[in-house]
Amino acid sequence: YKEKEFVGYRYYATYGVKPRYPFGYGLSYTTFAFDVKSVETFQSFVTAKVRVENTGDTYSGKAVVQAYLSCPAGALPRPYQQLVAYAKTPVLGPGQTADVELRFDLRDESAFDEASGSYVLEAGDYILLVGDSSATAAPAAVFTLPETVSVENARPIDRDRTVEEVRLDAKRPAVPEGLPHLTLKTGDIHQIRHSFEPDGQWNVYKDIVSMMDASERVELLLGAGMHFFAFKGSFTVPGNAANTSSNLMKDHQIPSVSLADGPAGLRILEESVQYRSGKIKPLKNAISIFDYLPGIASKALLGKRSRGTILYQYATAFPVGTAVAQTWNADLAEAFGAAVSAEMSEYGVTFWLAPGMNIHRNPLCGRNFEYFSEDPMMTGSIAAAVCKGVASRPGNYVTIKHFAANNQEFQRNKASSNVSERAFREIYLRPFKRAIRDGSAMAVMTSYNPVNGIYNVENRSLLEDYLRGECGFEGIVMTDWTSTGPGLADPVRAIRAGNDMIMPGMPTDRSAIRKAALSGELDPKDLRRCSARVVRLLLESEQGKERLREWKLDRKG
């Protein structure tokens, strides 16, 4: 990752590379004019009010107003510009106008200084640009920061590899005379301070966990396994990705809940057949590769319509993540999330394994269609909106993924993403931070790949210090499917690092964790902490609310 933080349009704008389609570009049947009416600052917050006019004489349309910021480059190189805010107008007829407001926090645009281990805003002039793409954005105001300010403390993220330092110095926009020029007061910019104390959320549920033995706690940390063609036992939604364990229902009333893949809606089987015995079999293969099995194998795996009751689970096929982001419409993204959440409730899905929110770093990444953008602000804002939509039904959870720096599918279990800590934080981690802060995401899925030589699922500094300490994450962390095992990440080290659930729950993982828990190799505190986090979300889910209500009444008694 030698390009560091100069990804996509940040590189093109900095070095004068003219792309065929600039970032933010979009066609319309009409034209628009933008008039920046005012720019104001309060502490670290900037607000710009823009009047948009449809200057065409025939067609109606919507405009996207985009704000970019050009930051001063002192000790830390900065790109020519970076997206900081956007807003979409309502439909405007010819000659009609609309006022939109663009608001952002300068602290969100701070640079990570590896020397001091903190986020800083360097002294100098910050130029605000407004337009309808990265190519048309023009200077609208200048903010001067008299001295460098540290705005947020951090802890280093562990690494086994270093990245060659390549300094890329950027040109800056020419500032015309007469622009508003504001001076920021350094004393008014409040510093964000993290204590990095162990999170206390899991302590709320320690009473329930304390009633379990080590083997039962281990059950909480693993899914029920992979059963693509044997939907029995705890598998409640045919075609889902997994279920949590059902072995704790009898003694502790901890429900088994369903996890279904995404991101273009719920990925579950449309039709299956339930036999009189209760066994459920699919009417078509859940994974397309099984379509190529010999006929005798398909006959054994698939059910027959005439043998039982047909179960219907038709879910909406929504646009993929990239298309959702291309609307530049956070309200629409939130409505998309709410629609998915309604279907989750309809079919009994608790965890939606989406949205995917890695960065479009390379066009060859095989899962780019699942991801939103090459820009961290765009990615984070759209993801946060989707998260809010899903959370509109309490007890339904998104699972933001793949955490983090998953930018290729080739050798995804082995290829280490070697990236500077600054670029890692500013480009690849920042979208997750925004989705947690603004979207209240309660589940995170770690990626297959190592970063700087260390598997993400084993990196405690990433999962505990960064994710929980800096981002304020209060939910659960789960692995991607079969991330752990022989020759891959270690499931015991994953639990020790704060990766709460090993999915989908393979026999080798179960054996390794149980052995480590019973022998004392796995610290009982780590086991209790991870299992209590899982208990919390299971009990606060739709399926667990009655048990949670009873438990709260017992505690009051």
Side-chain angles (χ1 to χ4, degrees), residues 112 119 152-158 194 196-197 357 376 400 403-404 421-437 444 456 459-474 477 497:
F112 185 74
Y119 294 88
E152 185 177 358
N153 66 319
R155 279 185 174 177
I157 297 173
D158 293 341
H194 303 297
F196 298 101
E197 293 297 324
M357 46 188 300
I400 54 178
F403 188 76
E421 182 157 359
R422 181 184 168 194
F424 190 32
R425 288 172 174 273
E426 291 184 27
I427 302 296
Y428 304 100
L429 293 179
R430 195 162 263 173
F432 290 93
K433 194 172 192 177
R434 188 179 287 266
I436 292 164
R437 183 192 68 189
V444 170
N456 291 326
N459 194 334
R460 187 180 179 90
S461 66
L462 180 63
L463 302 185
E464 292 291 342
D465 292 342
Y466 179 80
L467 192 59
R468 300 184 185 279
E470 292 185 36
C471 300
F473 180 64
E474 296 181 351
V477 179

Side-chain angles (χ1 to χ4, degrees), residues 29-31 54-60 93-95:
Y29 289 103
T30 187
T31 55
N54 181 344
T55 55
D57 56 11
T58 305
Y59 296 106
S60 299

Side-chain angles (χ1 to χ4, degrees), residues 34-243:
F34 303 95
D35 183 11
V36 180
K37 290 296 185 180
S38 66
V39 179
E40 298 176 348
T41 63
F42 174 72
Q43 296 176 349
S44 59
F45 298 95
V46 178
T47 303
K49 295 181 179 178
V50 183
R51 178 158 294 170
V52 183
E53 180 183 1
N54 181 344
T55 55
D57 56 11
T58 305
Y59 296 106
S60 299
K62 294 182 180 182
V64 178
V65 188
Q66 303 167 33
Y68 295 82
L69 192 67
S70 178
C71 302
L76 303 173
R78 301 300 294 266
Y80 176 88
Q81 62 187 3
Q82 57 198 57
L83 183 71
V84 293
Y86 62 90
K88 194 161 190 174
T89 69
V91 175
L92 299 177
Q96 289 185 329
T97 63
D99 293 330
V100 301
E101 186 174 281
L102 303 168
R103 190 170 187 266
F104 63 95
D105 187 344
L106 271 173
R107 295 176 299 182
D108 288 340
E109 312 312 318
S110 58
F112 185 74
D113 179 19
E114 296 185 25
S116 66
S118 64
Y119 294 88
V120 301
L121 290 170
E122 290 195 293
D125 290 340
Y126 290 77
I127 305 170
L128 178 67
L129 305 99
V130 176
D132 59 2
S133 77
S134 60
T136 63
V142 179
F143 319 101
T144 297
L145 187 64
E147 56 186 343
T148 297
V149 181
S150 175
V151 298
E152 185 177 358
N153 66 319
R155 279 185 174 177
I157 297 173
D158 293 341
R159 60 172 57 233
D160 278 349
R161 299 178 188 176
T162 58
V163 178
E164 179 184 346
E165 294 296 317
V166 179
R167 182 177 177 99
L168 301 176
D169 290 307
K171 64 177 183 178
R172 302 205 67 199
V175 179
E177 295 183 1
L179 287 185
H181 199 129
L182 301 89
T183 300
L184 300 166
K185 296 181 180 179
T186 55
D188 288 346
I189 299 177
H190 296 163
Q191 186 180 38
I192 301 169
R193 296 292 303 174
H194 303 297
S195 65
F196 298 101
E197 293 297 324
D199 74 284
Q201 291 295 326
W202 66 274
N203 285 322
V204 178
Y205 293 86
K206 65 182 181 181
D207 291 349
I208 290 180
V209 173
S210 67
M211 294 186 291
M212 302 176 184
D213 59 32
S215 294
E216 290 174 322
R217 291 170 190 156
V218 170
E219 284 295 317
L220 284 165
L221 308 184
L222 295 125
M226 298 178 73
H227 301 279
F228 288 121
F229 301 100
F231 304 120
K232 57 184 180 180
S234 66
F235 269 63
T236 55
V237 181
N240 66 357
N243 264 68

